[in-house]
Amino acid sequence: QSLMSLELDEIKSKPLLDATAADAGKDGGLMLQPATASTSTSDPAVSQEPAAACREESPVGTSPLRVTRVKVEGKHAINRVEMSFSDGSVWAMGAPIAGAKNKPGKGNKTKSSHEFRPLLLAEDEYVIEVQHESLMQWWWVGAGVKFTTNKGRFLQSCGFWSSGLSENTQVFRASPGNAILGLRLHNGMCHGVIEGPAPDVDESELKLWAVHWLAEGAANSEIQSRSFIGRESALGFAEQVGGGREVACQCGPLKIAVSDHPWFDCLRDIRDLLRPSRLATLDAAREAREVASSSTGESYMEFAMAGERVGAGIVLDLVKSSRIKAWGPLPRRKHCEELAAELGQFNLKRWLDMSLSLPETVESMRAVQP
């Protein structure tokens, strides 16, 4: 019976969304289940449903409950779906820790290999659509699932058993003025969604671009960030903080702009290396290293970078979680990239997998050495 209970809705803190409230959110209210509400589990094929529910209206003048994070775990199929909310509560369906039986070690993968990249939602962002591919059984919560926000960002998670065919996928959309706050899942099938009032957001004022930068002379921890509505505004601001002009050409009424790409990293490294100021810095570092004691154990590249605090930064497309512009040396720019990845704005892993950056390539070659 303990195994059967893994499929049930669970609560970590505060109330849990009522999965049986078919009309939740239609009148602006939100159905919440008290933490103590439960029923008998005599039938192992049927998951528990709350015995009673209470309706809680959002007080006047307060912001409605919104989803702040969506996390999906799985491998062959979707093991777990978890949604975190702005009040600290968590709704989840599936095993508490997907892949917990796989312990780190030789020949085994860690449980992190079962986790898809989570979707972190901004304050002006909410889930408006869910696509679910069913998998008829009692253990997994489905073969695949996709969450889409009002900004067009999405989290798509498909297990090995997912067909990827549209005819096998159910699409659930939130009604106008509402946001999706949960799923009604049972035996690998989605029977509907739980809705609540959407945040009061002007769709024409959505922040779709972001700039993270380090000013010249600033410490690596003094990263500044700013979001923008349009691409031109973000690139214009990046030019003001030292990012340079956008690479573009005008052909009559057409404007052809070149966005950043992982393959361009090698060209940027060569350009930065051949700059006169950079060559002078390297020459000075080489001379200083020759007279320095060999017992310091400091590498040439580390010594060359010491004391350099030039400006660096990146411009991001938040919808694609990609970089469209970058400037400054890699050791400085890397701090901006890591912060953006932590905020869920930049898919750093995907970028590095495709990157042809010279330092990153050398580091990868060192990592595979026996």
Side-chain angles (χ1 to χ4, degrees):
Q1 185 173 351
S2 61
L3 292 177
M4 303 299 177
S5 63
L6 294 178
E7 188 193 12
L8 309 180
D9 292 63
E10 65 180 32
I11 183 167
K12 292 184 178 178
S13 62
K14 299 189 179 181
L16 176 68
L17 292 174
D18 179 10
T20 62
D23 297 329
K26 289 185 179 180
D27 55 354
L30 176 63
M31 299 299 293
L32 298 176
Q33 175 197 356
T36 58
S38 62
T39 58
S40 173
T41 57
S42 58
D43 187 358
V46 180
S47 62
Q48 291 182 356
E49 297 291 349
C54 62
R55 172 160 299 185
E56 296 185 0
E57 299 277 350
S58 297
V60 178
T62 62
S63 59
L65 188 69
R66 67 180 186 87
V67 178
T68 59
R69 185 173 184 263
V70 180
K71 179 181 178 182
V72 179
E73 298 178 354
K75 188 175 182 182
H76 300 288
I78 303 303
N79 290 26
R80 179 181 176 87
V81 176
E82 181 179 301
M83 303 178 76
S84 304
F85 299 94
S86 55
D87 65 347
S89 59
V90 176
W91 175 90
M93 173 70 77
I97 301 179
K101 61 183 178 180
N102 292 334
K103 299 180 180 180
K106 186 176 182 180
N108 295 328
K109 294 183 178 180
T110 63
K111 63 182 181 181
S112 61
S113 62
H114 296 264
E115 298 178 1
F116 296 92
R117 180 172 175 266
L119 178 64
L120 303 179
L121 282 71
E123 295 184 358
D124 59 346
E125 192 172 17
Y126 53 92
V127 180
I128 61 172
E129 180 182 288
V130 173
Q131 299 181 23
H132 182 269
E133 183 176 353
S134 303
L135 184 63
M136 288 291 295
Q137 38 66 60
W138 63 272
W139 179 257
W140 289 283
V141 297
V145 64
K146 179 180 179 181
F147 295 85
T148 305
T149 71
N150 60 321
K151 289 186 176 182
R153 301 174 63 223
F154 61 89
L155 168 62
Q156 185 171 13
S157 308
C158 298
F160 295 160
W161 296 340
S162 173
S163 65
L165 301 176
S166 58
E167 52 265 28
N168 297 334
T169 304
Q170 294 176 291
V171 181
F172 303 92
R173 295 183 177 88
S175 55
N178 283 356
I180 296 177
L181 302 178
L183 308 179
R184 299 175 58 195
L185 294 167
H186 178 67
N187 288 346
M189 295 187 64
C190 186
H191 301 278
V193 295
I194 304 171
E195 299 184 10
D200 186 11
V201 175
D202 187 355
E203 297 296 330
S204 63
E205 299 292 331
L206 294 178
K207 307 292 187 179
L208 304 178
W209 310 86
V211 179
H212 301 273
W213 78 97
L214 280 169
E216 185 175 357
N220 292 334
S221 60
E222 299 176 355
I223 302 175
Q224 304 180 60
S225 304
R226 187 170 176 180
S227 300
F228 297 88
I229 300 174
R231 173 190 172 101
E232 298 296 331
S233 301
L235 292 174
F237 180 80
E239 182 179 354
Q240 296 177 12
V241 296
R245 294 186 178 181
E246 179 186 14
V247 180
C249 62
Q250 193 79 25
C251 299
L254 300 178
K255 181 181 179 180
I256 303 176
V258 179
S259 296
D260 201 0
H261 192 275
W263 293 357
F264 295 162
D265 287 347
C266 63
L267 301 179
R268 182 180 292 104
D269 294 337
I270 295 175
R271 182 195 62 186
D272 293 341
L273 187 63
L274 296 180
R275 283 180 177 176
S277 59
R278 177 63 174 163
L279 292 176
T281 303
L282 293 177
D283 291 339
R286 185 182 299 108
E287 294 176 359
R289 186 171 182 269
E290 290 176 355
V291 299
S293 174
S294 59
S295 61
T296 58
E298 193 175 40
S299 67
Y300 173 71
M301 288 303 296
E302 292 172 344
F303 195 92
M305 293 298 176
E308 291 189 11
R309 289 190 175 182
V310 298
I314 55 176
V315 182
L316 301 175
D317 182 347
L318 300 183
V319 176
K320 298 180 180 179
S321 298
S322 183
R323 198 177 77 192
I324 64 170
K325 185 180 180 61
W327 70 93
L330 177 61
R332 295 272 286 172
R333 190 176 69 243
K334 189 175 182 179
H335 296 283
C336 300
E337 296 174 347
E338 292 175 349
L339 175 62
E342 183 179 346
L343 297 175
Q345 299 178 348
F346 182 38
N347 194 338
L348 181 58
K349 182 180 182 303
R350 182 179 62 187
W351 187 278
L352 294 179
D353 290 342
M354 300 174 59
S355 176
L356 297 180
S357 174
L358 299 180
E360 295 293 344
T361 304
V362 173
E363 187 65 26
S364 302
M365 294 174 62
R366 290 179 179 176
V368 298
Q369 286 181 354

